Amino acid sequence: MAKGLLAASYADGHYGSRTVAAYKAWQESLGYSGIGANGIPGPASLAALATNRFTVVRPLAPGAKVAFRGVTINSRTRAMLLAAEGKLGFTFVMEQGSYNPGGDVTSAGTHDGGGVVDLDVVALTSSQRTAAATALRQVGFAAWVRSPAMGNWDWHIHAVAISDTDLAPQAQKQVGAYYEGRNGLANNAVDDGPKVTKVTWEEYQRSLA
């Protein structure tokens, strides 16, 4: 509000679309662009904002980009995938990773930034697909099983790492849809996935302590 980027009426404790837009403008004022100005607080912009106002006690960072089974993701996403696999007892087959602008037109830009993966589940049974989506949600992904009936694609799981600071705007909207009980697709239908307590990766980790 002090910078004139957010009306006082929207300072209501809810990090909604107006706040995202205001924070994006703040990031741009600091010289950031692309996924560095996506409206999600990252360590550098938070530090600049915090000057003499507050202290960031639990900074969140996506980590370095890493190669993982033929795709590029970040180290936070990798840790989340491995944790979900530990719950399942089988290994995911990567179909599409992150930081892949224009890589697949059916993805609508969700993979342009970090924190987003598509997992090939063609060979899995229905119960295995549900179990996989459940495990992914339990460790902090907004995850949905996608069938060929939903679009021009094979069976896969689309998973978005909640609170990843590198998320593309389109992926941010999918996380919002997940919290609203929707399916993250253009039709905004009701979420038909497994019901779990919605958590971030960091919240999941703290629950294990």
Side-chain angles (χ1 to χ4, degrees):
M1 291 187 297
K3 298 292 183 180
L5 301 175
L6 183 68
S9 59
Y10 292 107
D12 56 4
H14 175 62
Y15 203 86
S17 58
R18 299 274 185 163
T19 310
V20 170
Y23 203 86
K24 173 180 169 64
W26 165 253
Q27 289 169 319
E28 289 172 341
S29 76
L30 297 175
Y32 294 101
S33 61
I35 60 174
N38 61 2
I40 298 178
S45 60
L46 266 180
L49 185 66
T51 309
N52 299 321
R53 292 186 178 88
F54 57 84
T55 301
V56 180
V57 295
R58 288 178 176 167
L60 188 155
K65 295 179 184 179
V66 295
F68 184 72
R69 299 177 193 163
V71 301
T72 299
I73 56 177
N74 60 49
S75 58
R76 181 177 182 264
T77 304
R78 178 180 60 186
M80 294 170 69
L81 290 170
L82 293 174
E85 288 180 344
K87 289 176 170 290
L88 292 167
F90 61 79
T91 300
F92 292 126
V93 176
M94 307 302 294
E95 185 173 281
Q96 185 179 184
S98 307
Y99 309 104
N100 189 30
D104 184 346
V105 295
T106 66
S107 297
T110 56
H111 292 259
D112 287 6
V116 183
V117 295
D118 284 349
L119 309 173
D120 185 342
V121 296
V122 171
L124 300 185
T125 65
S126 177
S127 61
Q128 287 175 321
R129 291 167 186 158
T130 299
T134 300
L136 289 162
R137 289 183 173 198
Q138 288 173 334
V139 303
F141 284 101
W144 299 272
V145 178
R146 303 299 197 206
S147 75
M150 296 176 180
N152 184 27
W153 48 60
D154 289 328
W155 282 99
H156 70 281
I157 290 178
H158 180 70
V160 183
I162 299 168
S163 295
D164 189 302
T165 56
D166 278 356
L167 288 179
Q170 300 90 328
Q172 292 177 39
K173 291 178 182 177
Q174 289 186 317
V175 172
Y178 174 63
Y179 274 90
E180 292 171 355
R182 316 309 292 183
N183 68 358
L185 292 173
N187 63 14
N188 200 36
V190 174
D191 180 12
D192 62 354
K195 305 303 179 186
V196 304
T197 299
K198 294 177 174 64
V199 296
T200 66
W201 169 238
E202 290 70 28
E203 288 170 333
Y204 169 72
Q205 289 180 301
R206 289 196 291 271
S207 74
L208 302 177

